[in-house]
Structures are given as C-alpha cells and as structure tokens.
Amino acid sequence: NAGVTQTPKFQVLKTGQSMTLQCAQDMNHNSMYWYRQDPGMGLRLIYYSASEGTTDKGEVPNGYNVSRLNKREFSLRLESAAPSQTSVYFCASSEAIAGRYGYTFGSGTRLTVV
Amino acid sequence: GNSVTQMEGPVTLSEEAFLTINCTYTATGYPSLFWYVQYPGEGLQLLLKATKADDKGSNKGFEATYRKETTSFHLEKGSVQVSDSAVYFCALARPNFGNEKLTFGTGTRLTIIP
C-alpha cells in the first residue's frame, strides 16, 4: 500500500538552481495538492489539481510551477530557487476536492536553498 | 469563509496524563471534521474523522466528538504515552461545496515527558 510517494526526500540547492519535486499516488484519486510547511506557519497550499488536466493556484504560488502529468502524477517545479523556498514540501491526494474522507499525504521533501 | 481554530501550543504533559486539544470551527452547512497527526520527520496521517453532528471518531485511544451546537471537535485521550509526542492538526471539509478545499488549523505541538 504505497499511497502517496514523494521524491526526493532531501535536497540541497544553490540559489538560482532549478529542480522538480515528484509526487505519485496509486489510489486512483482525482485531486492532488502541493503544500509547504514552515515553522509556526502551519500548512500553506501552493498549487492544486482538481482533476487530470487542470491546475490552479493556492495561497502561495509565486516562484513555483506545477504539472499534472497524468492521473497518478503531480510535479512541482522551482525554476530559480531562493532561500525563502527553504521548507518541507508535502504532496497530498483525495478522491475529490474537499473529499469526505480527507487527504492522504506523502512523507515530504525537505528542501534547503543556500 | 471557513476557518479552524486550535488550542495554541506547545503542550507538555507527563506520561499517563489526560489530554485535551481544543478545536473549534467556523463553516456554514455540515462539514466533515478531521484530526491529523504528524510525527517527527514524517507527513500528516489521518488520525480520526467525523462526518456528521454527534458522530464520535476514535483511533489509537484518541477520541473526538462532532458538536454542532458548540462548533467544536476537541481531541481527547485518557492516558498519553511518550509515543504520542507529535503535532496535531484539526481540519474541516465541505464535500458538496464546489471547488472548496480542506481547511487546516495551525497545529498543536504535543510533548509527553516520561
């Protein structure tokens, strides 16, 4: 029962470098999400995808792009990393946008930008 | 709009103490309510949920009752263990309200001392 798989688990980038965080779910969920978690800030939604082929901005989208590659995969790209993007990133999925059964989360990617 | 207000932390208790973490919400209609737990270095895991008024969710010795009259979903456990040390998030969802997403509280850090 893999659930939501995120790669990589840890990453260190230099300012200005780019990278893509990968996320895949095997639960046949329609909706997927990217959050960042910072100390004292709780969870903040970056982007989400209500269904395959659609993506929308969350509350903190600046500096990020996303791709819903297919129903299973939803990637997050940092085009030019900045120290302010140092955070822990979580991917999540659900059967519908505000699913009756909540979201299933991945184990996170800890990103440090130096 | 929707909101979730959680008891501010951090909360520190001795092993075998009684735990209450308060959660109140603001939402119209009849939301589903959730408690998530995040252990150190891990993603969020669904701990328990309740989908209608007066429902009681329970798991791993934790309980929470959906109280519509007081708009609350307080988390309780009769005797906490060191292994319960984690961050706890209260959340709500309204499954039938269009493109609305899960709303999270800011989290409450719980530390149990042996």
Side-chain angles (χ1 to χ4, degrees):
Chain A
N1 236 10
V4 177
T5 302
Q6 289 184 237
T7 55
K9 292 190 182 302
F10 301 93
Q11 184 71 48
V12 178
L13 289 179
K14 294 182 179 178
T15 298
Q17 286 185 319
S18 63
M19 80 161 294
T20 299
L21 281 63
Q22 307 287 352
C23 175
Q25 53 93 6
D26 62 2
M27 296 169 287
N28 202 36
H29 283 168
N30 289 310
S31 303
M32 298 184 74
Y33 315 82
W34 277 105
Y35 286 88
R36 59 178 290 172
Q37 185 178 34
D38 303 292
M41 301 289 288
L43 291 167
R44 293 186 290 171
L45 182 64
I46 305 170
Y47 271 94
Y48 67 98
S49 170
S51 60
E52 187 178 356
T54 69
T55 60
D56 283 288
K57 296 178 181 179
E59 57 182 302
V60 289
N62 291 345
Y64 305 95
N65 284 301
V66 290
S67 295
R68 183 75 182 266
L69 305 170
N70 47 55
K71 190 170 185 179
R72 290 186 63 247
E73 298 172 286
F74 188 40
S75 62
L76 178 71
R77 183 161 179 83
L78 287 69
E79 291 291 352
S80 179
S84 61
Q85 294 178 306
T86 293
S87 187
V88 181
Y89 291 86
F90 290 102
C91 178
S93 70
S94 65
E95 86 280 9
I97 272 288
R100 186 172 182 81
Y101 303 104
Y103 295 176
T104 301
F105 284 83
S107 57
T109 296
R110 186 174 296 274
L111 175 67
T112 302
V113 183
V114 298
Chain B
N2 301 334
S3 68
V4 175
T5 302
Q6 281 185 240
M7 174 177 183
E8 286 198 20
V11 175
T12 303
L13 294 172
S14 297
E15 203 165 21
E16 299 184 2
F18 185 86
L19 169 71
T20 300
I21 300 178
N22 290 338
C23 171
T24 57
Y25 68 89
T26 301
T28 55
Y30 298 90
S32 298
L33 300 172
F34 307 86
W35 276 102
Y36 282 84
V37 58
Q38 184 181 29
Y39 298 106
E42 299 183 12
L44 280 71
Q45 303 173 23
L46 181 63
L47 180 60
L48 53 85
K49 64 175 169 46
T51 57
K52 61 183 188 295
D54 299 325
D55 268 2
K56 179 184 283 187
S58 61
N59 187 24
K60 298 182 180 181
F62 291 89
E63 293 183 340
T65 301
Y66 188 160
R67 302 283 188 201
K68 187 155 180 65
E69 64 276 13
T70 54
T71 62
S72 65
F73 193 55
H74 304 323
L75 182 69
E76 297 182 336
K77 187 175 185 183
S79 177
V80 292
Q81 306 300 313
V82 172
S83 57
D84 295 326
S85 297
V87 181
Y88 292 82
F89 292 89
C90 186
L92 73 82
R94 299 194 300 172
N96 300 317
F97 279 75
N99 220 27
E100 191 178 288
K101 295 164 289 299
L102 204 61
T103 300
F104 288 92
T106 54
T108 302
R109 182 175 297 278
L110 173 67
T111 302
I112 307 301
I113 299 171

